[in-house]
């Protein structure tokens, strides 16, 4: 009873996530590419690229992997070469999403804390180069995963399903690759985002105290600071995006530590009542949720984004409203 209830929860969660995440990210791409949100071209490039990769995560990981596995357990997607390709695409899109978050965090760190380097680094040209490099390296890193699987069954000379080759657990080279893969996504990004945010907060606090003292000394009283108010929205956006990433990826990191410290394999998921499986699956659910929340962060922190969204809704519903009036 409990197992079927948990299985039903997974069956409901992933379609709901796709139903929200796909249109939300698509609308975000459309709004941001119009360039009317009052953001710099550099920031816009990063946000658009993050929305694109999150959109791809919804397609490859949520629909082609999770939903297809739940509702269509045996289909052409289960043929071993396609199954292996799906796994590689999952890692490529998730890796791109994670490292673009790091790239955006580093860009805002440079803009806030390194004024001398800001002019050279925080440009649209640099952003496009960084985005292209992240995407290319993520694809190269994930490509090797295509070769770690073998067929679970062979029926009429057709290989079905994917199971990890035993050499993956015994070979020192594959063990090293697994560690590198886990460190690059998401351990290193997690640490870098925490470090960059800590340095950014320290710089902001020091700069705020200095500016308050300077303005109080020059004006004789404390007044509103237009410069700090201008930077506040960018800072709020940064901390909202990176903070949600840290919270939603935390359980995945805990699961990885548990697997390695306890010296056990990753959980099969054949038993929904198994606490180990619930821990791992809950981590995946939160990880994929991170590819759905950014559009809502933009709507909550950026007033011009909300205006563009409202205008888009009015424009889309306009013909329907006129039809009902007629």
């Amino acid at each position: 009873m409990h197992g079927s209830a948990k299985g039903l929860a997974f069956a409901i969660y992933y379609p709901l996530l796709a139903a929200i995440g796909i249109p939300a990210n698509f609308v975000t791409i459309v709004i941001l590419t119009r360039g009317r949100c009052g953001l710099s071209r550099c920031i816009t490039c990063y946000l658009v690229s993050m929305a694109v990769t999150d959109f791809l995560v919804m397609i490859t990981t949520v629909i082609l992997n999770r939903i297809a596995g739940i509702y269509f357990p045996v289909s052409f997607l289960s043929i071993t070469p396609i199954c292996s390709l799906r796994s590689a695409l999952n890692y490529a899109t998730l890796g791109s999403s994670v490292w673009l978050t790091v790239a955006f965090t580093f860009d805002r760190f440079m803009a806030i804390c390194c004024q001398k380097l800001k002019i050279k680094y925080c440009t649209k040209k640099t952003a496009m180069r960084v985005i292209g490099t992240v995407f290319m390296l993520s694809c190269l890193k994930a490509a090797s995963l295509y070769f770690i699987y073998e067929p679970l069954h062979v029926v009429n000379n057709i290989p079905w399903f994917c199971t990890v080759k035993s050499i993956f657990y015994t070979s020192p080279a594959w063990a090293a690759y697994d560690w590198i893969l886990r460190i690059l996504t998401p351990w290193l990004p997690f640490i870098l985002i925490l470090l960059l945010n800590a340095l950014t907060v320290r710089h902001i606090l020091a700069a705020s105290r200095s500016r308050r003292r300077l303005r109080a000394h020059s004006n004789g009283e404390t007044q509103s600071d237009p410069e700090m108010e201008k930077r506040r929205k960018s800072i709020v956006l940064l901390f909202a995006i990176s903070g949600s990433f840290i919270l939603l990826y935390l359980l995945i990191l805990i699961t990885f530590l548990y697997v390695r410290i306890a010296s056990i394999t990753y959980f099969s998921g054949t038993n929904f009542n198994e606490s180990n499986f619930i821990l791992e699956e809950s981590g995946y659910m939160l990880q994929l949720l991170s590819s759905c929340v950014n559009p809502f962060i933009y709507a909550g922190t950026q007033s011009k984004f909300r205006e563009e969204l409202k205008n888009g809704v009015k424009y889309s519903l306009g013909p329907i409203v006129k039809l009902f009036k007629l």
Side-chain angles (χ1 to χ4, degrees):
M1 180 67 181
H2 294 293
S4 60
K6 291 165 187 171
L8 180 61
F10 297 143
I12 294 174
Y13 175 80
Y14 289 115
L16 183 62
L17 186 65
I20 296 174
I22 289 177
N25 281 299
F26 179 78
V27 169
T28 298
I29 295 168
V30 173
I31 292 176
L32 291 175
T33 50
R34 290 166 62 89
R36 299 179 182 179
C37 295
L39 300 170
S40 68
R41 290 187 296 176
C42 177
I43 295 177
T44 300
C45 284
Y46 282 112
L47 297 187
V48 169
S49 66
M50 291 162 65
V52 170
T53 53
D54 287 341
F55 181 85
L56 292 176
V57 168
M58 291 291 114
I59 299 295
T60 60
T61 307
V62 177
I63 292 181
L64 295 182
N65 187 33
R66 296 291 171 171
I67 295 178
I70 292 172
Y71 289 95
F72 308 101
V74 180
S75 67
F76 75 96
L77 294 174
S78 304
I79 299 174
T80 302
I82 298 178
C83 177
S84 301
L85 179 62
R86 284 191 297 144
S87 178
L89 288 174
N90 291 345
Y91 276 91
T93 53
L94 283 170
S96 297
S97 178
V98 169
W99 278 100
L100 285 174
T101 304
V102 176
F104 171 73
T105 305
F106 183 75
D107 177 84
R108 291 301 86 202
F109 167 77
M110 296 290 287
I112 295 170
C113 303
C114 307
Q115 294 297 314
K116 293 182 179 179
L117 299 176
K118 173 184 176 181
I119 298 175
K120 292 184 178 180
Y121 183 83
C122 300
T123 63
K124 180 181 178 180
K125 186 177 181 180
T126 302
M128 294 299 293
R129 287 177 178 175
V130 172
I131 293 166
T133 302
V134 167
F135 184 74
M136 181 182 66
L137 292 178
S138 296
C139 291
L140 289 175
K141 181 187 68 176
S144 299
L145 291 174
Y146 180 86
F147 302 99
I148 72 171
Y149 296 102
E150 62 184 2
L152 184 62
H153 304 289
V154 178
V155 180
N156 296 327
N157 293 324
I158 299 176
W160 287 95
F161 304 106
C162 291
T163 182
V164 177
K165 296 177 181 177
S166 58
I167 193 174
F168 183 77
Y169 296 104
T170 58
S171 169
W174 279 115
Y177 176 77
D178 186 39
W179 270 102
I180 292 172
L181 198 67
R182 299 293 175 174
I183 290 172
L184 290 178
T185 308
W187 269 107
L188 185 58
F190 192 88
I191 294 171
L192 287 175
I193 288 175
L194 280 176
L195 177 62
L196 290 171
N197 280 339
L199 293 174
T200 302
V201 168
R202 188 180 71 171
H203 178 85
I204 290 170
L205 293 176
S208 298
R209 287 194 294 266
S210 299
R211 289 182 69 87
R212 279 198 299 267
R213 286 196 299 266
L214 181 62
R215 291 178 63 84
H217 178 72
S218 60
N219 298 326
E221 59 181 0
T222 303
Q223 297 179 357
S224 61
D225 189 344
E227 178 64 22
M228 293 303 295
E229 185 64 25
K230 180 181 177 181
R231 294 168 63 181
R232 184 184 65 83
K233 291 183 179 180
S234 177
I235 294 168
V236 169
L237 179 63
L238 166 65
F239 289 163
I241 292 174
S242 56
S244 68
F245 171 85
I246 290 170
L247 290 174
L248 294 175
Y249 269 79
L250 185 59
L251 190 56
I252 279 286
L253 297 176
I254 293 173
T255 304
F256 173 71
L257 282 178
Y258 176 60
V259 168
R260 287 300 173 181
I261 293 174
S263 299
I264 57 177
T265 59
Y266 289 100
F267 318 118
S268 63
T270 55
N271 184 1
F272 287 115
N273 289 319
E274 191 177 334
S275 59
N276 292 341
F277 167 73
I278 296 171
L279 175 67
E280 185 183 22
E281 189 63 27
S282 298
Y284 288 141
M285 292 168 74
L286 292 177
Q287 180 188 40
L288 295 176
L289 180 62
S290 68
S291 295
C292 183
V293 298
N294 281 351
F296 300 95
I297 290 175
Y298 305 152
T301 60
Q302 304 294 309
S303 57
K304 291 187 178 180
F305 184 91
R306 289 195 297 272
E307 291 177 8
E308 287 295 308
L309 182 60
K310 290 177 183 177
N311 293 335
V313 172
K314 289 180 182 178
Y315 179 80
S316 302
L317 296 180
I320 299 176
V321 173
K322 290 181 181 179
L323 181 64
F324 274 104
K325 287 182 178 179
L326 292 176

